Amino acid sequence: MKIGVLALQGAFAAHQQRFADIGVDASTVRTAGQLDEVDALVMPGGESTTMSHLMRTNELFAPIADRLAAGMPVFGTCAGMIMCASEVLDGRPDQRSFGALDLTVRRNGYGRQLASFEVDLDVKGLDSPFHAVFIRAPLAERVGPDVDVLAEHDGAPVLVRHGACTVASFHPELTPDARLHRLFVESLG
């Protein structure tokens, strides 16, 4: 299974490092041709409106949408969560998302940059807490009935999965802990 990391904007190199930490090579994806070469995709944190725009201008939005609709596994973090959600609140009028899972998120739902924080989370499938970094994080306001909540913070889902799509409000790539990346790899079978 070959993993790609969307490398248009955001913390893509940090994701590649977390995969390297567990012995998995993850290539960068900037073109439709590179997307064709991967079996799974990571959508990193960054700025969701910029990411949406860059996917359109680089002619990647439609190919990614097609691959997600066909069941390609995806791991979206922060802005990646927004890109995968079925509904985005407080987005720009021209902002698009993939609707890869039944989830309503509010951009910057935890506040702006100054409201960034770190917290230890209990995560299903991990035997000890995961230290999570929240930076202008999206807030999950509604989770569909078939979506599995893997972690919560103050009663709000912050790590969820449905089928081949796993998304996090936070940035697991910004810590030295690669356990969530390992869980994603293990989910690929």
Side-chain angles (χ1 to χ4, degrees):
M1 182 77 61
K2 188 169 180 185
I3 297 173
V5 180
L6 186 64
L8 300 177
Q9 191 256 349
F12 58 88
H15 277 289
Q16 287 180 289
Q17 183 58 55
R18 291 299 76 77
F19 283 114
D21 292 345
I22 59 171
V24 175
D25 182 44
S27 60
T28 57
V29 172
R30 292 185 177 97
T31 68
Q34 291 169 331
L35 179 67
D36 288 342
E37 296 173 5
V38 302
D39 303 302
L41 185 67
V42 174
M43 289 188 198
E47 209 294 312
S48 63
T49 56
T50 300
M51 198 175 293
S52 174
H53 172 74
L54 290 172
M55 279 189 249
R56 286 194 308 275
T57 59
N58 287 312
E59 298 180 357
L60 265 172
F61 196 92
I64 291 173
D66 291 345
R67 292 288 305 279
L68 292 176
M72 177 181 67
V74 63
F75 182 24
T77 63
C78 198
M81 176 188 235
I82 295 168
M83 294 303 306
C84 290
S86 57
E87 183 180 16
V88 178
L89 306 175
D90 294 338
R92 285 184 11 187
D94 64 337
Q95 183 174 357
R96 296 173 59 197
S97 64
F98 294 108
L101 76 165
D102 188 9
L103 180 69
T104 300
V105 297
R106 182 171 303 279
R107 287 182 69 244
N108 300 322
Y110 286 97
R112 306 298 293 168
Q113 190 81 21
L114 291 174
S116 298
F117 64 96
E118 299 180 24
V119 66
D120 289 339
L121 300 172
D122 291 325
V123 176
K124 285 184 188 176
L126 299 184
D127 58 1
S128 62
F130 186 91
H131 190 74
V133 178
F134 289 76
I135 303 171
R136 293 182 1 205
L139 176 65
E141 294 202 355
R142 184 194 59 80
V143 176
D146 296 328
V147 176
D148 187 19
V149 176
L150 303 176
E152 294 183 344
H153 173 65
D154 286 344
V158 295
L159 178 64
V160 300
R161 178 176 48 219
H162 182 251
C165 182
T166 302
V167 295
S169 294
F170 54 93
H171 291 268
E173 74 279 11
L174 296 182
T175 74
D177 188 341
R179 290 181 295 164
L180 293 185
H181 289 78
R182 183 180 306 281
L183 283 178
F184 178 66
V185 170
E186 290 171 354
S187 76
L188 302 177

